[in-house]
Amino acid sequence: MGKKWKKRKIFRAVWFSIVALLFIWNWSTFQSRDLPQDTFSNSEEVTITETDDEISFRTNTSTKALQVIFFQGGLTDPKAYAPLCRKIAEAGFSCHLIKMNWRLPQYDYQKTLQIIDVKKGNYVIGGHSQGGKMAAQLVYENPSTFKGLFLMGTSHPRDISLSHLNIPCIKLYASQDGLASVEEVEANKPKLPENSKLILIEGGNHSQFGYLGQLLMDSSPTISLNDQQKQTYHHLITFLNKLETTNQ
């Protein structure tokens, strides 16, 4: 009896240790990493301000009317998207990176309407993964408020349809995305606004839409983080510049 009890204690200790290590490893992949050194440095082009609810990247040199609202992915460190948001601001579009409570956009997305007066400006909204899902949800709930919608690494909208809305929309998805597969993304295309543009990033994966570790269940990319970030930025800026011209 004593030997069996001892074996059980050893088994439980080993099992809990493995579970704890897996949890720590998985959580660590959601943390931002390898950010460029100047990501949060003020410059002649950009002023950065952080509050409990957002990190704002305000352009100092542009008169462009459009501003961007960016939703982080579920559980991810919002700072993982700061390099992209900074580049968007450097291109002339002030960007608001919303910090969700508990890092869960699905429960905190509506606070955006409390911290930003979206009806008094020209705002484009979007995000990555669950952040993209909830950006689409906010557009669904406020159909005439936003000037554009961008989605990154998400198969949503799935549970709602935006097909009746006349809002410019772009969706970026990646061939190696293990969490929002090409098949899922393309299957839900009819739920996007009419004339939405889908752009496939060959070799990209889910994790590299931000400066993150490789997330659990994601596939390995065949292009670098730098390459995927450059392509993402290029497509978003092309979209924003076109919207700016349209809304003048």
Side-chain angles (χ1 to χ4, degrees):
M1 183 71 178
K3 288 184 178 180
K4 286 185 178 180
W5 177 245
K6 188 175 182 180
K7 286 181 179 179
R8 286 180 181 176
K9 286 181 70 177
I10 293 172
F11 174 79
R12 287 177 181 174
V14 171
W15 187 83
F16 280 117
S17 296
I18 292 173
V19 170
L21 287 171
L22 284 173
F23 176 81
I24 293 169
W25 170 79
N26 188 39
W27 180 249
S28 71
T29 64
F30 288 100
Q31 308 311 309
S32 59
R33 58 185 66 191
D34 302 323
L35 302 180
Q37 288 187 346
D38 66 344
T39 298
F40 297 104
S41 298
N42 290 328
S43 69
E44 292 182 0
E45 298 173 309
V46 179
T47 297
I48 299 156
T49 307
E50 183 171 2
T51 68
D52 290 339
D53 293 313
E54 70 166 303
I55 305 173
S56 68
F57 299 81
R58 293 194 176 275
T59 179
N60 296 329
T61 58
S62 174
T63 58
K64 292 177 179 177
L66 285 181
Q67 296 188 52
V68 175
I69 298 172
F70 195 106
F71 284 179
Q72 68 189 83
L75 297 180
T76 59
D77 180 358
K79 292 181 179 179
Y81 307 99
L84 177 60
C85 292
R86 181 189 179 93
K87 285 185 175 296
I88 289 172
E90 288 174 344
F93 301 96
S94 292
C95 188
H96 305 266
L97 175 54
I98 307 301
K99 297 163 63 177
M100 303 293 180
N101 289 338
W102 303 102
R103 298 187 179 181
L104 292 173
Q106 69 185 89
Y107 299 117
D108 204 31
Y109 72 100
Q110 289 182 328
K111 77 174 180 184
T112 305
L113 303 181
Q114 299 169 4
I115 62 177
I116 300 174
D117 191 354
V118 295
K119 292 186 177 180
K120 288 189 176 180
N122 296 312
Y123 291 93
V124 178
I125 191 169
H128 174 225
S129 193
Q130 188 186 108
K133 172 186 176 180
M134 302 322 298
Q137 180 69 35
L138 199 59
V139 168
Y140 178 79
E141 294 170 0
N142 302 272
S144 59
T145 300
F146 299 97
K147 303 300 182 183
L149 171 67
F150 63 92
L151 305 170
M152 298 160 44
T154 180
S155 56
H156 291 273
R158 285 192 320 222
D159 307 319
I160 57 173
S161 176
L162 304 179
S163 60
H164 62 291
L165 298 182
N166 185 28
I167 180 174
C169 175
I170 186 173
K171 174 177 275 196
L172 306 181
Y173 62 120
S175 64
Q176 305 303 112
D177 194 323
L179 300 174
S181 70
V182 171
E183 292 76 18
E184 289 177 305
V185 169
E186 293 180 347
N188 290 315
K189 183 179 178 181
K191 295 184 178 180
L192 291 170
E194 189 177 1
N195 299 321
S196 292
K197 187 174 183 179
L198 272 67
I199 298 176
L200 178 65
I201 297 180
E202 287 285 355
N205 72 351
H206 193 82
S207 309
Q208 289 188 162
F209 279 114
Y211 279 70
L212 300 162
Q214 184 161 323
L215 303 176
L216 186 65
M217 304 300 289
D218 198 9
S219 301
S220 297
T222 58
I223 61 174
S224 68
L225 168 64
N226 189 49
D227 191 358
Q228 185 165 343
Q229 287 286 311
K230 280 184 176 180
Q231 290 189 54
T232 300
Y233 166 78
H234 168 73
H235 293 304
L236 288 180
I237 290 302
T238 300
F239 177 64
L240 292 171
N241 280 329
K242 185 175 181 180
L243 285 180
E244 178 70 21
T245 301
T246 303
N247 284 278
Q248 283 180 349

